[in-house]
Amino acid sequence: MKLIVTKDYEALSTRAAGLVIEHIQQYPSSVLVLATGNTPLGMFARLVNAYRRGEVSFHNCSLVELDDYFNISLDDRRSLYKWLAAEFINQVDIPAENIVRFNTASTDAKEECARVEQAIANLGGIDLLVLGLGPNGHLGFNEPGSDFESATRVITLSAASIKSSAQYWGKEEDVPRQGITLGLKILSAARHTLLLVGGKQKTQIFNSTFQGPVTNSIPATILQQQQNLTVIVDKAAAGNISTRSA
Ligand code: GLP
C-alpha cells in the first residue's frame, strides 16, 4: 500500500486527479469504477478541467457504477448515477455505450445484480477503482457486517449511513432505505485502487481502517489486503498517521 498525506483537501483532489490521469494515459481502455459522495468532488472537477484542456480523454474507457440507492426511479433526484453524470460523465467524452448503470427501478434485484456482475466480467474486470470511506467504514454500500466474499446485491442501509447521507438530500426522511452495491469480492479484485479520505470527521474511521484488525464489522479493513492500493488522505483525516510508503 502507498499512503500519501496531503496538506489539505485541495491537494488531495489534485493528487487524486493526477493519479487517475496517469493511469488512463497508461491504460486508455481502463474499466473505471468511481465513488460518489462529497470526497471525490474536487477530483472530478480537476478531471473535467484536464479533459477540457485536452490533457486526458476518456473516450476508450468504460465506467461501471459503484453503488446507488435502490427502489427509486431512474429520474429520482437522489440517484447517485445522476450525481456522477452531473459531476463527471456529462462533462467528459465517455461514450454512453461504455457505461454500466444500475437499474435502480428493477423489480428483480437478483437479476439486476447478476447483469452488472456479468457486464464487469465481459469487460475483463475493474482496472481502476476510486473509493471514498463511509463514516462507518462502508465501501460503496457494503455496510458493516458485509461478508468479504459478498457479491453485488441490494442491501438495507444502516442507520449510520442514512444519517450521513442526509447531508446530501436534506433530512433523514429524504434518504432512500435501500442501496445496490458492487460486492466486496468484486471490489477486492480491482487491479488498482485509490482510496480518498478527507476531513477531520474521518480521522477515527481512517485510523480503524488501517491500524486495527481486519474485520467485516468495518468493511474498509478489507483494504489492508488490497493489491496495488494507493490511499490519499488529507492531514485533517490522517490524524497522527504520518507519510509512509509500504
Ligand atoms: C456514501 C457512498 C459511498 C461514499 C461514502 C463516503 O454513502 N455510498 O460510495 O464513498 O458514502 O461519502 P463522503 O465522501 O460524502 O464522505
Side-chain angles (χ1 to χ4, degrees):
M1 153 180 159
K2 186 174 178 204
L3 177 66
I4 299 169
V5 182
T6 62
K7 70 173 173 18
D8 56 19
Y9 176 73
E10 298 306 315
L12 173 154
S13 302
T14 301
R15 200 69 193 262
L19 289 180
V20 171
I21 291 167
E22 262 174 42
H23 182 95
I24 289 166
Q25 284 165 346
Q26 198 176 352
Y27 309 101
S29 307
S30 286
V31 177
L32 309 173
V33 173
L34 307 174
T36 52
N38 287 329
T39 313
L41 289 178
M43 176 192 78
F44 286 133
R46 285 159 177 79
L47 289 176
V48 168
N49 284 336
Y51 162 71
R52 289 187 180 144
R53 289 194 300 262
E55 292 165 12
V56 64
S57 168
F58 301 91
H59 186 71
N60 293 315
C61 293
S62 300
L63 189 147
V64 182
E65 209 182 353
L66 169 65
D67 59 357
D68 210 326
Y69 298 109
F70 192 68
N71 211 4
I72 60 169
S73 87
L74 293 174
D75 287 334
D76 193 294
R77 73 177 176 97
R78 301 161 298 179
S79 151
L80 294 181
Y81 178 81
K82 283 178 78 171
W83 177 319
L84 193 58
E87 298 296 332
F88 181 64
I89 295 170
N90 292 348
Q91 303 197 56
V92 297
D93 60 344
I94 300 187
E97 62 271 22
N98 292 8
I99 292 174
V100 180
R101 174 186 183 177
F102 283 117
N103 177 3
T104 57
S106 169
T107 50
D108 188 337
K110 231 176 158 181
E111 188 189 78
E112 176 55 15
C113 293
R115 179 188 70 84
V116 171
E117 289 226 346
Q118 189 58 52
I120 294 174
N122 293 346
L123 288 166
I126 301 167
D127 290 308
L128 178 61
L129 170 64
V130 179
L131 291 171
L133 178 62
N136 61 355
H138 71 219
L139 294 179
F141 274 139
N142 290 282
E143 294 281 32
S146 294
D147 196 297
F148 285 169
E149 293 292 310
S150 57
T152 297
R153 66 205 184 286
V154 167
I155 49 94
T156 299
L157 294 188
S158 68
S161 290
I162 290 171
K163 201 167 174 211
S164 72
S165 296
Q167 64 180 312
Y168 312 139
W169 314 117
K171 36 189 193 321
E172 288 185 31
E173 303 86 270
D174 294 331
V175 180
R177 268 31 192 177
Q178 286 188 300
I180 186 166
T181 184
L182 298 185
L184 290 175
K185 187 172 184 187
I186 206 157
L187 297 183
S188 64
R191 286 186 272 277
H192 299 89
T193 302
L194 194 53
L195 175 73
L196 309 182
V197 192
K200 67 176 183 337
Q201 73 284 4
K202 296 281 175 78
T203 310
Q204 203 179 341
I205 191 63
F206 175 67
N207 194 58
S208 313
T209 297
F210 291 104
Q211 302 217 308
V214 176
T215 165
N216 69 356
S217 62
I218 302 177
T221 59
I222 195 177
L223 294 175
Q224 290 184 28
Q225 304 163 352
Q226 190 83 343
Q227 61 176 333
N228 297 322
L229 171 68
T230 301
V231 179
I232 310 182
V233 57
D234 67 11
K235 253 191 181 155
N240 55 14
I241 300 180
S242 57
T243 315
R244 70 184 157 83
S245 300

